[in-house]
PDB file of all heavy atoms in Angstrom:
ATOM      1  N   MET A 492     -16.035   1.585  -0.769  1.00 90.00           N
ATOM      2  CA  MET A 492     -14.777   1.032  -1.016  1.00 90.00           C
ATOM      3  C   MET A 492     -15.003  -0.272  -1.686  1.00 90.00           C
ATOM      4  O   MET A 492     -15.853  -1.067  -1.256  1.00 90.00           O
ATOM      5  CB  MET A 492     -13.982   0.809   0.358  1.00 90.00           C
ATOM      6  CG  MET A 492     -13.623   2.205   0.968  1.00 90.00           C
ATOM      7  SD  MET A 492     -12.699   1.986   2.610  1.00 90.00           S
ATOM      8  CE  MET A 492     -11.186   1.014   2.055  1.00 90.00           C
ATOM      9  N   THR A 493     -14.165  -0.570  -2.580  1.00 83.00           N
ATOM     10  CA  THR A 493     -14.299  -1.875  -3.399  1.00 83.00           C
ATOM     11  C   THR A 493     -13.733  -2.972  -2.350  1.00 83.00           C
ATOM     12  O   THR A 493     -12.999  -2.688  -1.454  1.00 83.00           O
ATOM     13  CB  THR A 493     -13.527  -1.888  -4.630  1.00 83.00           C
ATOM     14  OG1 THR A 493     -12.002  -1.715  -4.352  1.00 83.00           O
ATOM     15  CG2 THR A 493     -13.990  -0.839  -5.595  1.00 83.00           C
ATOM     16  N   PHE A 494     -13.915  -4.215  -2.787  1.00 82.00           N
ATOM     17  CA  PHE A 494     -13.407  -5.306  -2.030  1.00 82.00           C
ATOM     18  C   PHE A 494     -11.960  -5.302  -1.845  1.00 82.00           C
ATOM     19  O   PHE A 494     -11.253  -5.403  -0.857  1.00 82.00           O
ATOM     20  CB  PHE A 494     -13.798  -6.596  -2.612  1.00 82.00           C
ATOM     21  CG  PHE A 494     -13.210  -7.911  -1.921  1.00 82.00           C
ATOM     22  CD1 PHE A 494     -13.660  -8.359  -0.711  1.00 82.00           C
ATOM     23  CD2 PHE A 494     -12.191  -8.565  -2.523  1.00 82.00           C
ATOM     24  CE1 PHE A 494     -13.107  -9.458  -0.135  1.00 82.00           C
ATOM     25  CE2 PHE A 494     -11.609  -9.594  -1.919  1.00 82.00           C
ATOM     26  CZ  PHE A 494     -12.099 -10.031  -0.735  1.00 82.00           C
ATOM     27  N   ASP A 495     -11.259  -4.909  -2.977  1.00 84.00           N
ATOM     28  CA  ASP A 495      -9.727  -4.873  -3.168  1.00 84.00           C
ATOM     29  C   ASP A 495      -9.212  -3.751  -2.278  1.00 84.00           C
ATOM     30  O   ASP A 495      -8.252  -3.875  -1.712  1.00 84.00           O
ATOM     31  CB  ASP A 495      -9.292  -4.741  -4.676  1.00 84.00           C
ATOM     32  CG  ASP A 495      -9.502  -5.961  -5.443  1.00 84.00           C
ATOM     33  OD1 ASP A 495      -9.660  -7.018  -4.841  1.00 84.00           O
ATOM     34  OD2 ASP A 495      -9.634  -5.889  -6.702  1.00 84.00           O
ATOM     35  N   GLN A 496      -9.955  -2.582  -2.227  1.00 88.00           N
ATOM     36  CA  GLN A 496      -9.486  -1.605  -1.440  1.00 88.00           C
ATOM     37  C   GLN A 496      -9.658  -1.903   0.107  1.00 88.00           C
ATOM     38  O   GLN A 496      -8.768  -1.489   0.850  1.00 88.00           O
ATOM     39  CB  GLN A 496     -10.408  -0.338  -1.720  1.00 88.00           C
ATOM     40  CG  GLN A 496     -10.115   0.517  -3.039  1.00 88.00           C
ATOM     41  CD  GLN A 496     -11.016   1.514  -3.302  1.00 88.00           C
ATOM     42  OE1 GLN A 496     -12.309   1.446  -3.082  1.00 88.00           O
ATOM     43  NE2 GLN A 496     -10.547   2.773  -3.678  1.00 88.00           N
ATOM     44  N   VAL A 497     -10.776  -2.536   0.410  1.00 89.00           N
ATOM     45  CA  VAL A 497     -10.874  -2.994   1.802  1.00 89.00           C
ATOM     46  C   VAL A 497      -9.718  -3.958   2.209  1.00 89.00           C
ATOM     47  O   VAL A 497      -9.239  -3.778   3.275  1.00 89.00           O
ATOM     48  CB  VAL A 497     -12.321  -3.598   1.967  1.00 89.00           C
ATOM     49  CG1 VAL A 497     -12.368  -4.296   3.478  1.00 89.00           C
ATOM     50  CG2 VAL A 497     -13.346  -2.531   1.831  1.00 89.00           C
ATOM     51  N   THR A 498      -9.479  -4.869   1.334  1.00 86.00           N
ATOM     52  CA  THR A 498      -8.437  -5.779   1.716  1.00 86.00           C
ATOM     53  C   THR A 498      -7.125  -5.133   1.912  1.00 86.00           C
ATOM     54  O   THR A 498      -6.417  -5.444   2.890  1.00 86.00           O
ATOM     55  CB  THR A 498      -8.323  -6.818   0.435  1.00 86.00           C
ATOM     56  OG1 THR A 498      -9.538  -7.400   0.234  1.00 86.00           O
ATOM     57  CG2 THR A 498      -7.224  -7.846   0.795  1.00 86.00           C
ATOM     58  N   GLU A 499      -6.725  -4.204   0.957  1.00 90.00           N
ATOM     59  CA  GLU A 499      -5.476  -3.596   1.188  1.00 90.00           C
ATOM     60  C   GLU A 499      -5.533  -2.660   2.338  1.00 90.00           C
ATOM     61  O   GLU A 499      -4.495  -2.435   3.112  1.00 90.00           O
ATOM     62  CB  GLU A 499      -5.210  -2.627  -0.119  1.00 90.00           C
ATOM     63  CG  GLU A 499      -3.917  -1.991  -0.066  1.00 90.00           C
ATOM     64  CD  GLU A 499      -2.683  -2.898  -0.072  1.00 90.00           C
ATOM     65  OE1 GLU A 499      -2.801  -4.113  -0.197  1.00 90.00           O
ATOM     66  OE2 GLU A 499      -1.481  -2.353   0.050  1.00 90.00           O
ATOM     67  N   MET A 500      -6.589  -1.945   2.586  1.00 90.00           N
ATOM     68  CA  MET A 500      -6.615  -0.987   3.856  1.00 90.00           C
ATOM     69  C   MET A 500      -6.511  -1.892   5.093  1.00 90.00           C
ATOM     70  O   MET A 500      -5.779  -1.413   6.020  1.00 90.00           O
ATOM     71  CB  MET A 500      -8.056  -0.227   3.791  1.00 90.00           C
ATOM     72  CG  MET A 500      -8.175   0.681   4.988  1.00 90.00           C
ATOM     73  SD  MET A 500      -8.815   0.046   6.475  1.00 90.00           S
ATOM     74  CE  MET A 500     -10.534  -0.225   6.061  1.00 90.00           C
ATOM     75  N   VAL A 501      -7.181  -3.028   5.228  1.00 84.00           N
ATOM     76  CA  VAL A 501      -7.087  -3.742   6.428  1.00 84.00           C
ATOM     77  C   VAL A 501      -5.710  -4.389   6.653  1.00 84.00           C
ATOM     78  O   VAL A 501      -5.117  -4.242   7.714  1.00 84.00           O
ATOM     79  CB  VAL A 501      -8.140  -4.933   6.472  1.00 84.00           C
ATOM     80  CG1 VAL A 501      -7.884  -5.878   7.564  1.00 84.00           C
ATOM     81  CG2 VAL A 501      -9.630  -4.440   6.515  1.00 84.00           C
ATOM     82  N   ARG A 502      -5.129  -4.747   5.460  1.00 80.00           N
ATOM     83  CA  ARG A 502      -3.696  -5.181   5.605  1.00 80.00           C
ATOM     84  C   ARG A 502      -2.732  -4.048   6.070  1.00 80.00           C
ATOM     85  O   ARG A 502      -1.933  -4.360   7.054  1.00 80.00           O
ATOM     86  CB  ARG A 502      -3.137  -5.677   4.178  1.00 80.00           C
ATOM     87  CG  ARG A 502      -1.800  -6.334   4.211  1.00 80.00           C
ATOM     88  CD  ARG A 502      -1.326  -6.619   2.850  1.00 80.00           C
ATOM     89  NE  ARG A 502      -1.059  -5.426   1.990  1.00 80.00           N
ATOM     90  CZ  ARG A 502       0.069  -4.753   2.037  1.00 80.00           C
ATOM     91  NH1 ARG A 502       1.070  -5.186   2.899  1.00 80.00           N
ATOM     92  NH2 ARG A 502       0.235  -3.771   1.329  1.00 80.00           N
ATOM     93  N   LEU A 503      -2.816  -2.900   5.564  1.00 83.00           N
ATOM     94  CA  LEU A 503      -1.941  -1.763   5.913  1.00 83.00           C
ATOM     95  C   LEU A 503      -2.224  -1.386   7.377  1.00 83.00           C
ATOM     96  O   LEU A 503      -1.304  -1.068   8.097  1.00 83.00           O
ATOM     97  CB  LEU A 503      -2.049  -0.659   4.895  1.00 83.00           C
ATOM     98  CG  LEU A 503      -1.617  -0.934   3.503  1.00 83.00           C
ATOM     99  CD1 LEU A 503      -1.971   0.230   2.648  1.00 83.00           C
ATOM    100  CD2 LEU A 503      -0.076  -1.181   3.502  1.00 83.00           C
ATOM    101  N   ARG A 504      -3.539  -1.361   7.681  1.00 81.00           N
ATOM    102  CA  ARG A 504      -3.825  -0.946   9.067  1.00 81.00           C
ATOM    103  C   ARG A 504      -3.317  -1.894  10.158  1.00 81.00           C
ATOM    104  O   ARG A 504      -2.862  -1.539  11.186  1.00 81.00           O
ATOM    105  CB  ARG A 504      -5.364  -0.789   9.221  1.00 81.00           C
ATOM    106  CG  ARG A 504      -5.830  -0.090  10.522  1.00 81.00           C
ATOM    107  CD  ARG A 504      -7.204   0.261  10.467  1.00 81.00           C
ATOM    108  NE  ARG A 504      -8.090  -0.955  10.625  1.00 81.00           N
ATOM    109  CZ  ARG A 504      -9.560  -0.910  10.858  1.00 81.00           C
ATOM    110  NH1 ARG A 504     -10.034   0.289  10.806  1.00 81.00           N
ATOM    111  NH2 ARG A 504     -10.231  -1.916  11.033  1.00 81.00           N
ATOM    112  N   SER A 505      -3.444  -3.224   9.853  1.00 71.00           N
ATOM    113  CA  SER A 505      -2.872  -4.300  10.756  1.00 71.00           C
ATOM    114  C   SER A 505      -1.359  -4.130  10.852  1.00 71.00           C
ATOM    115  O   SER A 505      -0.851  -4.259  12.008  1.00 71.00           O
ATOM    116  CB  SER A 505      -3.181  -5.529  10.137  1.00 71.00           C
ATOM    117  OG  SER A 505      -4.639  -5.839  10.091  1.00 71.00           O
ATOM    118  N   GLU A 506      -0.697  -3.775   9.765  1.00 66.00           N
ATOM    119  CA  GLU A 506       0.705  -3.630   9.876  1.00 66.00           C
ATOM    120  C   GLU A 506       1.108  -2.331  10.718  1.00 66.00           C
ATOM    121  O   GLU A 506       2.085  -2.411  11.470  1.00 66.00           O
ATOM    122  CB  GLU A 506       1.365  -3.541   8.494  1.00 66.00           C
ATOM    123  CG  GLU A 506       1.323  -4.787   7.666  1.00 66.00           C
ATOM    124  CD  GLU A 506       2.007  -4.630   6.277  1.00 66.00           C
ATOM    125  OE1 GLU A 506       2.398  -3.471   5.994  1.00 66.00           O
ATOM    126  OE2 GLU A 506       2.026  -5.538   5.576  1.00 66.00           O
ATOM    127  N   ALA A 507       0.285  -1.370  10.538  1.00 66.00           N
ATOM    128  CA  ALA A 507       0.653  -0.089  11.187  1.00 66.00           C
ATOM    129  C   ALA A 507       0.328  -0.210  12.765  1.00 66.00           C
ATOM    130  O   ALA A 507       0.844   0.475  13.606  1.00 66.00           O
ATOM    131  CB  ALA A 507      -0.299   1.078  10.708  1.00 66.00           C
ATOM    132  N   ASP A 508      -0.564  -1.229  13.112  1.00 61.00           N
ATOM    133  CA  ASP A 508      -0.854  -1.455  14.489  1.00 61.00           C
ATOM    134  C   ASP A 508       0.397  -2.129  15.342  1.00 61.00           C
ATOM    135  O   ASP A 508       0.408  -2.039  16.509  1.00 61.00           O
ATOM    136  CB  ASP A 508      -2.008  -2.305  14.685  1.00 61.00           C
ATOM    137  CG  ASP A 508      -3.261  -1.691  14.387  1.00 61.00           C
ATOM    138  OD1 ASP A 508      -3.288  -0.389  14.250  1.00 61.00           O
ATOM    139  OD2 ASP A 508      -4.308  -2.399  14.251  1.00 61.00           O
ATOM    140  N   VAL A 509       1.278  -2.568  14.591  1.00 53.00           N
ATOM    141  CA  VAL A 509       2.536  -3.273  15.208  1.00 53.00           C
ATOM    142  C   VAL A 509       3.700  -2.286  15.261  1.00 53.00           C
ATOM    143  O   VAL A 509       4.118  -1.721  14.239  1.00 53.00           O
ATOM    144  CB  VAL A 509       2.909  -4.555  14.434  1.00 53.00           C
ATOM    145  CG1 VAL A 509       4.036  -5.242  15.086  1.00 53.00           C
ATOM    146  CG2 VAL A 509       1.650  -5.467  14.396  1.00 53.00           C
ATOM    147  N   LEU A 510       4.204  -2.125  16.465  1.00 47.00           N
ATOM    148  CA  LEU A 510       5.297  -1.174  16.574  1.00 47.00           C
ATOM    149  C   LEU A 510       6.605  -2.003  16.247  1.00 47.00           C
ATOM    150  O   LEU A 510       6.919  -3.119  16.714  1.00 47.00           O
ATOM    151  CB  LEU A 510       5.448  -0.785  18.129  1.00 47.00           C
ATOM    152  CG  LEU A 510       6.576   0.199  18.365  1.00 47.00           C
ATOM    153  CD1 LEU A 510       6.433   1.478  17.644  1.00 47.00           C
ATOM    154  CD2 LEU A 510       6.675   0.463  19.818  1.00 47.00           C
ATOM    155  N   ARG A 511       7.320  -1.343  15.337  1.00 43.00           N
ATOM    156  CA  ARG A 511       8.554  -2.016  14.856  1.00 43.00           C
ATOM    157  C   ARG A 511       9.733  -1.063  15.170  1.00 43.00           C
ATOM    158  O   ARG A 511       9.602   0.194  15.171  1.00 43.00           O
ATOM    159  CB  ARG A 511       8.467  -2.346  13.343  1.00 43.00           C
ATOM    160  CG  ARG A 511       7.413  -3.283  13.055  1.00 43.00           C
ATOM    161  CD  ARG A 511       7.342  -3.547  11.516  1.00 43.00           C
ATOM    162  NE  ARG A 511       6.346  -4.512  11.179  1.00 43.00           N
ATOM    163  CZ  ARG A 511       5.031  -4.312  11.056  1.00 43.00           C
ATOM    164  NH1 ARG A 511       4.596  -3.152  11.143  1.00 43.00           N
ATOM    165  NH2 ARG A 511       4.250  -5.322  10.729  1.00 43.00           N
ATOM    166  N   PRO A 512      10.959  -1.553  15.166  1.00 41.00           N
ATOM    167  CA  PRO A 512      12.162  -0.720  15.213  1.00 41.00           C
ATOM    168  C   PRO A 512      12.166   0.377  14.173  1.00 41.00           C
ATOM    169  O   PRO A 512      11.978   0.095  13.015  1.00 41.00           O
ATOM    170  CB  PRO A 512      13.356  -1.721  15.159  1.00 41.00           C
ATOM    171  CG  PRO A 512      12.746  -2.904  15.585  1.00 41.00           C
ATOM    172  CD  PRO A 512      11.331  -3.022  15.167  1.00 41.00           C
ATOM    173  N   GLY A 513      12.489   1.544  14.586  1.00 44.00           N
ATOM    174  CA  GLY A 513      12.548   2.723  13.559  1.00 44.00           C
ATOM    175  C   GLY A 513      11.218   3.451  13.550  1.00 44.00           C
ATOM    176  O   GLY A 513      11.179   4.447  12.889  1.00 44.00           O
ATOM    177  N   ASP A 514      10.184   2.936  13.961  1.00 45.00           N
ATOM    178  CA  ASP A 514       8.808   3.621  13.985  1.00 45.00           C
ATOM    179  C   ASP A 514       8.839   4.944  14.770  1.00 45.00           C
ATOM    180  O   ASP A 514       8.006   5.780  14.493  1.00 45.00           O
ATOM    181  CB  ASP A 514       7.719   2.674  14.526  1.00 45.00           C
ATOM    182  CG  ASP A 514       7.261   1.717  13.400  1.00 45.00           C
ATOM    183  OD1 ASP A 514       7.832   1.688  12.368  1.00 45.00           O
ATOM    184  OD2 ASP A 514       6.480   0.793  13.757  1.00 45.00           O
ATOM    185  N   ALA A 515       9.732   5.128  15.700  1.00 42.00           N
ATOM    186  CA  ALA A 515       9.705   6.270  16.549  1.00 42.00           C
ATOM    187  C   ALA A 515       9.889   7.541  15.807  1.00 42.00           C
ATOM    188  O   ALA A 515       9.258   8.577  16.116  1.00 42.00           O
ATOM    189  CB  ALA A 515      10.921   6.237  17.572  1.00 42.00           C
ATOM    190  N   ALA A 516      10.537   7.518  14.575  1.00 39.00           N
ATOM    191  CA  ALA A 516      10.704   8.645  13.758  1.00 39.00           C
ATOM    192  C   ALA A 516       9.362   9.086  13.150  1.00 39.00           C
ATOM    193  O   ALA A 516       9.145  10.340  12.868  1.00 39.00           O
ATOM    194  CB  ALA A 516      11.677   8.433  12.611  1.00 39.00           C
ATOM    195  N   ALA A 517       8.443   8.251  13.014  1.00 49.00           N
ATOM    196  CA  ALA A 517       7.163   8.549  12.478  1.00 49.00           C
ATOM    197  C   ALA A 517       6.108   9.118  13.488  1.00 49.00           C
ATOM    198  O   ALA A 517       5.132   9.621  13.117  1.00 49.00           O
ATOM    199  CB  ALA A 517       6.397   7.360  11.736  1.00 49.00           C
ATOM    200  N   GLN A 518       6.409   8.887  14.821  1.00 52.00           N
ATOM    201  CA  GLN A 518       5.526   9.288  15.819  1.00 52.00           C
ATOM    202  C   GLN A 518       5.323  10.813  15.843  1.00 52.00           C
ATOM    203  O   GLN A 518       6.189  11.699  15.681  1.00 52.00           O
ATOM    204  CB  GLN A 518       6.085   8.904  17.180  1.00 52.00           C
ATOM    205  CG  GLN A 518       6.117   7.293  17.318  1.00 52.00           C
ATOM    206  CD  GLN A 518       6.811   6.975  18.636  1.00 52.00           C
ATOM    207  OE1 GLN A 518       6.887   7.700  19.521  1.00 52.00           O
ATOM    208  NE2 GLN A 518       7.257   5.765  18.671  1.00 52.00           N
ATOM    209  N   GLY A 519       4.017  11.234  15.841  1.00 55.00           N
ATOM    210  CA  GLY A 519       3.726  12.635  15.890  1.00 55.00           C
ATOM    211  C   GLY A 519       3.627  13.207  14.539  1.00 55.00           C
ATOM    212  O   GLY A 519       3.334  14.395  14.431  1.00 55.00           O
ATOM    213  N   ALA A 520       3.886  12.402  13.421  1.00 64.00           N
ATOM    214  CA  ALA A 520       3.770  12.989  12.037  1.00 64.00           C
ATOM    215  C   ALA A 520       2.353  13.253  11.712  1.00 64.00           C
ATOM    216  O   ALA A 520       1.412  12.493  12.135  1.00 64.00           O
ATOM    217  CB  ALA A 520       4.369  12.024  11.102  1.00 64.00           C
ATOM    218  N   THR A 521       2.033  14.322  11.031  1.00 74.00           N
ATOM    219  CA  THR A 521       0.722  14.720  10.688  1.00 74.00           C
ATOM    220  C   THR A 521       0.340  13.993   9.386  1.00 74.00           C
ATOM    221  O   THR A 521       1.171  13.898   8.377  1.00 74.00           O
ATOM    222  CB  THR A 521       0.633  16.252  10.346  1.00 74.00           C
ATOM    223  OG1 THR A 521       0.729  16.872  11.589  1.00 74.00           O
ATOM    224  CG2 THR A 521      -0.757  16.569   9.682  1.00 74.00           C
ATOM    225  N   LEU A 522      -0.886  13.357   9.363  1.00 83.00           N
ATOM    226  CA  LEU A 522      -1.376  12.578   8.211  1.00 83.00           C
ATOM    227  C   LEU A 522      -2.250  13.489   7.407  1.00 83.00           C
ATOM    228  O   LEU A 522      -3.269  14.048   8.008  1.00 83.00           O
ATOM    229  CB  LEU A 522      -1.989  11.308   8.550  1.00 83.00           C
ATOM    230  CG  LEU A 522      -1.127  10.250   9.200  1.00 83.00           C
ATOM    231  CD1 LEU A 522      -1.957   9.013   9.669  1.00 83.00           C
ATOM    232  CD2 LEU A 522      -0.115   9.797   8.118  1.00 83.00           C
ATOM    233  N   THR A 523      -2.066  13.677   6.166  1.00 90.00           N
ATOM    234  CA  THR A 523      -2.990  14.465   5.368  1.00 90.00           C
ATOM    235  C   THR A 523      -3.934  13.527   4.609  1.00 90.00           C
ATOM    236  O   THR A 523      -3.694  12.290   4.527  1.00 90.00           O
ATOM    237  CB  THR A 523      -2.218  15.318   4.303  1.00 90.00           C
ATOM    238  OG1 THR A 523      -1.625  14.363   3.368  1.00 90.00           O
ATOM    239  CG2 THR A 523      -1.209  16.195   4.865  1.00 90.00           C
ATOM    240  N   PRO A 524      -5.082  14.116   4.046  1.00 93.00           N
ATOM    241  CA  PRO A 524      -6.011  13.127   3.320  1.00 93.00           C
ATOM    242  C   PRO A 524      -5.267  12.484   2.146  1.00 93.00           C
ATOM    243  O   PRO A 524      -5.444  11.246   1.879  1.00 93.00           O
ATOM    244  CB  PRO A 524      -6.986  14.065   2.694  1.00 93.00           C
ATOM    245  CG  PRO A 524      -7.098  15.175   3.805  1.00 93.00           C
ATOM    246  CD  PRO A 524      -5.631  15.297   4.219  1.00 93.00           C
ATOM    247  N   GLU A 525      -4.286  13.142   1.544  1.00 93.00           N
ATOM    248  CA  GLU A 525      -3.555  12.524   0.345  1.00 93.00           C
ATOM    249  C   GLU A 525      -2.758  11.432   0.855  1.00 93.00           C
ATOM    250  O   GLU A 525      -2.625  10.244   0.206  1.00 93.00           O
ATOM    251  CB  GLU A 525      -2.770  13.624  -0.373  1.00 93.00           C
ATOM    252  CG  GLU A 525      -3.461  14.576  -1.020  1.00 93.00           C
ATOM    253  CD  GLU A 525      -4.168  15.652  -0.136  1.00 93.00           C
ATOM    254  OE1 GLU A 525      -3.748  15.725   0.995  1.00 93.00           O
ATOM    255  OE2 GLU A 525      -5.128  16.340  -0.542  1.00 93.00           O
ATOM    256  N   MET A 526      -2.005  11.499   1.938  1.00 92.00           N
ATOM    257  CA  MET A 526      -1.237  10.609   2.576  1.00 92.00           C
ATOM    258  C   MET A 526      -2.046   9.306   2.967  1.00 92.00           C
ATOM    259  O   MET A 526      -1.612   8.162   2.804  1.00 92.00           O
ATOM    260  CB  MET A 526      -0.397  11.056   3.756  1.00 92.00           C
ATOM    261  CG  MET A 526       0.609  12.202   3.357  1.00 92.00           C
ATOM    262  SD  MET A 526       1.284  12.961   4.862  1.00 92.00           S
ATOM    263  CE  MET A 526       1.995  11.569   5.737  1.00 92.00           C
ATOM    264  N   ILE A 527      -3.236   9.604   3.542  1.00 93.00           N
ATOM    265  CA  ILE A 527      -4.134   8.472   3.996  1.00 93.00           C
ATOM    266  C   ILE A 527      -4.563   7.675   2.848  1.00 93.00           C
ATOM    267  O   ILE A 527      -4.545   6.440   2.826  1.00 93.00           O
ATOM    268  CB  ILE A 527      -5.291   8.992   4.881  1.00 93.00           C
ATOM    269  CG1 ILE A 527      -4.751   9.640   6.088  1.00 93.00           C
ATOM    270  CG2 ILE A 527      -6.299   7.938   5.014  1.00 93.00           C
ATOM    271  CD1 ILE A 527      -5.904  10.346   6.857  1.00 93.00           C
TER     272      ILE A 527
END
């Protein structure tokens, strides 16, 4: 992974770690390699 990829991945992962209103709809959703 490039530095820019790592930076973006860590940012998105940190945001996903926080539960926000409306996230319940995404619970249980299947993640595909393309989505990831």
Side-chain angles (χ1 to χ4, degrees):
M492 292 178 65
T493 67
F494 174 78
D495 292 338
Q496 285 177 315
V497 171
T498 301
E499 181 65 5
M500 183 272 285
V501 171
R502 184 185 70 82
L503 293 173
R504 191 170 74 173
S505 297
E506 290 181 0
D508 285 350
V509 180
L510 184 65
R511 297 178 176 87
D514 283 354
Q518 293 173 20
T521 293
L522 292 175
T523 65
E525 294 74 20
M526 293 170 61
I527 292 172

